[in-house]
Amino acid sequence: MSIRVGVAGWSIPPALAGQFPSVGTHLERYGARFSAVEINSSFYRPHRRTTYQRWAASVPPEFRFSVKLPRTITHERRLIDCRSLIERFAEETGGLGDKRGPILVQLPPSFAYPGDAAEQFINDLKGMITGSVVLEPRHASWFQPEVDHMLRRQQVSRVAADPAKPLRAAQPGGWGGLAYFRLHGSPRIYESPYGKDAIEAHAKVVASLAERGADIWTIYDNTTFGAATQNAFQLADALVNTNSEMARSVTDRS
């Protein structure tokens, strides 16, 4: 079981620069404070294997990167006939070595569940890339019991997103060994910060999942005005407090 908190990208807002080391690249400074990051740029363009190797060498041994699958696979090909594209992505991201965390597969809101083609794609993906896969569907047809059963069988986790469209997307689904939260800001997506109550409520959810033995990732994507980084710090602090309270509760009952 591990709990990871991070941001979509490792830019450091000027207002929070004092909370990071003063020397090093942005990634080196970011990696000194957080245990994970989500690479979104891979969705838009490929990166050389040597680039991934350089990033991996910039962070501590326990740090992990999640990597978003290219849109050519998810949005243009819509998971069909993608073996060569997956092979290229696997070779490139292999530069992260054992610091490569979950592969994030985000699907277009208009993409309905394609039946057997979805499982064939997952088979191809998992056959070429070792490690976890997290799926972020955004069409209601993916949120059915038979799809959830398929994801559990394939050990693929469904992302929990905020804002959630459809509403069932607010909760993790699929395989229960990994829970992956993508928090985009609400009510203004990518902009709004999460308040104290929301942070503390999420910390309790994370602690509860951790008690069941799941690995948990929380990625803040409300990055437009720097709220994501502040919220990540706040969640890390809230998790410390929540774990302390849970430990005291266990002691009181014993």
Side-chain angles (χ1 to χ4, degrees), residues 2 18 50 67 86 100 117 125 137 139 150 159-160 163 165 181-182 205 216-217 223 230 238:
S2 66
T50 53
V67 194
I86 296 171
R100 185 175 62 189
L125 181 62
H139 189 278
M150 181 273 289
V159 168
K165 294 181 180 180
F181 294 87
R182 301 190 79 220
V205 170
I216 308 102
W217 282 60
T223 54
Q230 184 62 52

Side-chain angles (χ1 to χ4, degrees), residues 8 37-47 52 65-71 73-75 89 93 96 101-107 134 136 138 180 182 184 190 221:
V37 74
E38 183 182 277
I39 299 175
N40 272 259
S41 56
S42 54
F43 178 74
Y44 299 101
R45 62 186 184 279
H47 300 298
Y52 285 110
F65 298 82
S66 66
V67 194
K68 194 171 183 180
L69 204 65
R71 63 181 175 182
I73 295 173
T74 56
H75 287 53
F89 179 77
T93 61
L96 294 173
I103 303 302
L104 170 63
V105 183
Q106 185 193 58
L107 301 178
V134 294
E136 187 179 13
R138 291 180 287 174
Y180 195 102
R182 301 190 79 220
H184 302 289
Y190 306 129
D221 191 29

Side-chain angles (χ1 to χ4, degrees), residues 3-4 31 86 104 108 132 147 154 161 167 171 173 206 231 233-234:
I3 297 174
R4 297 187 182 276
I86 296 171
L104 170 63
S132 302
V147 180
Q154 289 280 5
L167 291 178
Q171 303 299 323
V206 170
N231 284 163
F233 278 129
Q234 291 168 331

Side-chain angles (χ1 to χ4, degrees), residues 162-163 183-186 192-196 198-199 220 222 227 231 234:
D162 182 71
L183 307 181
H184 302 289
S186 180
S192 295
Y194 291 96
K196 179 180 178 182
I199 296 286
Y220 286 99
N222 48 338
N231 284 163
Q234 291 168 331

Side-chain angles (χ1 to χ4, degrees), residues 156-246:
V156 171
S157 302
R158 193 185 71 231
V159 168
D162 182 71
K165 294 181 180 180
L167 291 178
R168 282 171 289 181
Q171 303 299 323
W175 183 55
L178 171 64
Y180 195 102
F181 294 87
R182 301 190 79 220
L183 307 181
H184 302 289
S186 180
R188 298 187 309 278
I189 190 168
Y190 306 129
E191 297 180 2
S192 295
Y194 291 96
K196 179 180 178 182
D197 290 347
I199 296 286
E200 292 179 350
H202 184 63
K204 292 177 181 178
V205 170
V206 170
S208 176
L209 289 169
E211 277 197 317
R212 303 176 201 171
D215 292 334
I216 308 102
W217 282 60
T218 299
I219 296 294
Y220 286 99
D221 191 29
N222 48 338
T223 54
T224 300
F225 300 119
T229 307
Q230 184 62 52
N231 284 163
F233 278 129
Q234 291 168 331
L235 177 60
D237 291 341
L239 285 168
V240 171
N241 295 333
T242 298
N243 289 335
S244 297
E245 290 172 4
M246 292 176 68

